[in-house]
Every structure is written in structure tokens, then in C-alpha cells.
Amino acid sequence: PNCSVVFFHHLEKTGGTTVRSILQRAAQLGQYDLFSFVNRFDKFQMQMIYHQLWHAMRTPGGLTNFRLAVEIHIGGNLDHPFFLKYTLPDLLHLRQRLRAAGCRCNLVTLLRHPLLQHLSWHYHFVNHRVPLCFWSNPPDCQSRLALGLTCHDGPRIPPLGASHASALSFMWRSFDVVGVTELFDEFVLALTDVLGLQAPAYRMQVVAQHTVSPQAEQRDWTNYSCAALLSGGGDRAALPGGALHRLLAKRMAGSEANAAGHQSRQGKSSTGGKPGVMECRGYGPCAISALPVPLRVQDAQYDAAACGAVSVKDVLERLCSRLAMDEAVYFEARRGFEERVR
């Protein structure tokens, strides 16, 4: 297109890095300019982008052959939803003005099934610091990221409420494309349509039966809620031998081994604690039944025997108990996206 602007709200652990690579390819081919990793809290970066857009709109011919992609990513506050209160109003106003000037402008994002997003967030940010057997996932992490809130500093994170749910509903209704990671290729096609990409492509990390098969299974069981999965839905995915059960067991074993290794080598704490301990202050509260509740937010020694006594079902039930809003938002978005691409 002669003029096209896209803002990609990249939520951590939803497949956004692959979307960035697609936009980077368009930039490398000279089809788009790209600002990536624009921090949700970096007002200076956003103001530079706003200035460029307003200048182009006010300059005769400034929007001719003007194509810009902006990835908004990383950064979050404990209790102040910066993206919702500051960035989103600016984006909605800019979109209105750009469209009035004859330029395409789209707001896009990707959501992921909450269980997979929370597990991926743990694998990337937590892992050995608090293994899955003891980890209490940040409540509604994906929704928090969408609003501009952080998922770090677990013990101090306040729960989201009805006002947050209402704000999320408004926000995603305001976006032009809200895709889901489990239908990634369909999202790329939708992105191609609204942006006018000429050569969309991405590279899969590993293409083999042992990676492609789980992806196909995930596409199926992610159609089900936590309640349905715990009751045997999704082809018994959460029951022993099922796809989700195998995934959880693998992730639990990996984080247990990493926690034991961290303890044995007296690894450095990322939150200022003693070497080799679980970081329950920063990534807790640690769900250790033998500890009184007040002590679950203090760093603790990893106990392999206690960890081994925790079952896959225990971990799944704990995860599910802390993502109700994420789940409701995800399924509303998925049903809407499925209808869009049908």
C-alpha cells in the first residue's frame, strides 16, 4: 500500500518474536520501516514515533510511500496500567487521524492459551529460581502484560478485578486483529491482508515429528478450558499419557533438575538473596505445604523430596486457579478470530 502504519502490541511469550521477524524481513526488503522493542514505559521512544507520524501528516505528500511498523514490547508496572491509560488513547487517536488522511493504520496483537503462556513465562524467567512443583504463577499474567503491568515480583502482585476485565474487553475490541498463537499461520495471513505485506515468511525453529506433532495436539486441546481439561476433555490431554500431561511432566522434570543444579553449584540469586536458594521473595509465594503461609514469600532451600511428591495434577490445578481472567479473554479472542478466518 502507498501508506500503512501498524502497531504490534507484543505480549511476552505469545510468539511475538516470530512476528517481529516477519516485520524485520519486510524492513530488510525495503517495504516498511521498523521500530522494534519500544518499551511500554519509554515515553521518549513513543514521542519520537508520534512526532514522525504527526510531521508526516502535516507535510504535503508526507504520507506518500510511508510505511511504518512499531513493536511495543517489554516493561511493566506493579499496579499502574500504563499501556491502557496512556499509550492506547494515543494510538486510537493516531489511527483515526491517519485513516482520515487516507492511510492504513492497524493495531494488532497475539494472545496465547493461558496455560501455555504461563508455562513459557516460567521457563523463560523463573525456571531454576522456583521449580514448577512449588511455583505460584502470577495471577492472570497475560492480561497484566496487555494492560502494561508486570508479572514479576510475585508476592506483591495485586489481583486484577472487574474494572480490569472491562478495560481488557474494550481494548481488544478496539484492536483490528487479535490473533491467537495456536492459529499462528492464520494470523500471518490476516496480518498480510491488513498490512499489505508482499512477502510474508518466517522460519520455524525445528521442523521434525517430535516438534510438529505436539503443536498439532496443542491446537486441539487449547480449545478447552481448565475445567474441561481437568475433567478429561481435549482427548484426555490432562490425564496420564495425554498431551498436556506429558508437557507438564517434561517441564516439571526440567525445572526440578535445574533447581537442584542451582542449589549444588550455589548459583547467584537474581533478586539479591543468598546463593543457591529458591527465590520465593521475587517469584513466589512458593507453594510449599510444610511452610507456614508467611514464610512462603521468603527465600527457601530447594527440597527434592518435597518437590518429587508434587503431582502433575497438583501443578495443573494450581496453574488453573490463577488464570481465570486470562482464560475468559483468550477464549473470547479465539472464537472471534476463528470466525474472522472461517
Side-chain angles (χ1 to χ4, degrees):
N2 177 57
C3 183
S4 180
V5 176
V6 59
F7 291 94
F8 169 48
H9 188 14
H10 176 180
L11 311 185
E12 285 87 327
K13 315 318 298 175
T14 60
T17 300
T18 304
V19 178
R20 183 196 305 138
S21 74
I22 294 171
L23 298 176
Q24 284 175 326
R25 186 167 190 265
Q28 290 164 352
L29 294 172
Q31 299 167 2
Y32 268 81
D33 288 328
L34 172 64
F35 284 95
S36 62
F37 272 96
V38 177
N39 191 298
R40 299 184 188 108
F41 277 86
D42 194 326
K43 295 180 182 180
F44 181 67
Q45 281 184 307
M46 289 302 299
Q47 286 167 354
M48 288 176 59
I49 294 166
Y50 296 156
H51 173 75
Q52 181 179 355
L53 289 167
W54 285 112
H55 179 74
M57 282 189 277
R58 291 167 177 157
T59 302
L63 293 177
T64 301
N65 290 322
F66 186 96
R67 289 175 291 275
L68 176 67
V70 180
E71 176 204 20
I72 302 172
H73 185 41
I74 69 175
N77 189 267
L78 189 66
D79 54 16
H80 189 70
F82 191 90
F83 182 86
L84 171 73
K85 291 192 173 184
Y86 297 101
T87 309
L88 182 61
D90 285 340
L91 297 184
L92 294 177
H93 182 52
L94 272 171
R95 182 177 66 181
Q96 180 185 38
R97 293 296 297 272
L98 282 165
R99 288 179 174 177
C103 184
R104 294 188 189 188
C105 182
N106 291 279
L107 312 182
V108 304
T109 196
L110 263 179
L111 301 181
R112 191 176 188 179
H113 190 284
L115 283 172
L116 291 174
Q117 193 269 337
H118 283 233
L119 284 171
S120 184
W121 196 89
H122 174 272
Y123 183 80
H124 185 85
F125 292 108
V126 187
N127 210 313
H128 64 274
R129 297 178 176 92
V130 178
L132 275 172
C133 57
F134 297 136
W135 186 54
S136 297
N137 46 315
D140 298 306
C141 179
Q142 188 163 227
S143 297
R144 295 184 60 81
L145 296 172
L147 295 167
L149 298 167
T150 184
C151 293
H152 293 276
D153 206 2
R156 297 201 302 137
I157 287 178
L160 300 182
S163 62
H164 296 99
S166 177
L168 282 164
S169 180
F170 167 79
M171 183 163 69
W172 296 143
R173 289 198 312 272
S174 301
F175 268 55
D176 300 287
V177 182
V178 180
V180 293
T181 311
E182 291 71 33
L183 301 173
F184 189 80
D185 286 346
E186 290 87 341
F187 173 77
V188 173
L189 292 176
L191 197 65
T192 299
D193 288 342
V194 299
L195 269 61
L197 295 177
Q198 300 300 298
Y202 68 93
R203 178 182 178 273
M204 294 184 68
Q205 295 298 321
V206 181
V207 183
Q209 183 60 33
H210 73 277
T211 59
V212 174
S213 179
Q215 290 172 8
E217 291 174 325
Q218 286 178 13
R219 190 178 175 110
D220 177 51
W221 68 253
T222 52
N223 261 305
Y224 295 83
S225 67
C226 270
L229 290 166
L230 286 165
S231 299
D235 196 24
R236 301 170 62 85
L239 301 181
L244 175 56
H245 193 280
R246 297 196 308 272
L247 172 63
L248 281 169
K250 180 180 178 180
R251 290 293 180 88
M252 288 172 65
S255 66
E256 289 169 24
N258 291 336
H262 177 69
Q263 183 183 54
S264 66
R265 67 175 179 273
Q266 290 294 284
K268 184 178 179 181
S269 169
S270 66
T271 52
K274 295 179 179 179
V277 299
M278 295 193 301
E279 298 178 35
C280 303
R281 289 182 304 129
Y283 293 99
C286 288
I288 305 174
S289 58
L291 286 179
V293 172
L295 296 183
R296 296 178 188 180
V297 295
Q298 297 180 19
D299 291 349
Q301 290 292 332
Y302 170 65
D303 185 334
C307 184
V310 178
S311 70
V312 168
K313 184 180 179 183
D314 293 333
V315 170
L316 179 57
E317 288 178 342
R318 189 188 317 132
L319 289 169
C320 286
S321 72
R322 301 170 69 86
L323 47 73
M325 189 178 299
D326 277 1
E327 190 173 76
V329 171
Y330 169 81
F331 281 113
E332 181 180 358
R334 179 161 180 165
R335 300 306 171 231
F337 187 68
E338 287 172 337
E339 185 64 30
R340 177 189 184 121
V341 300
R342 186 167 295 160

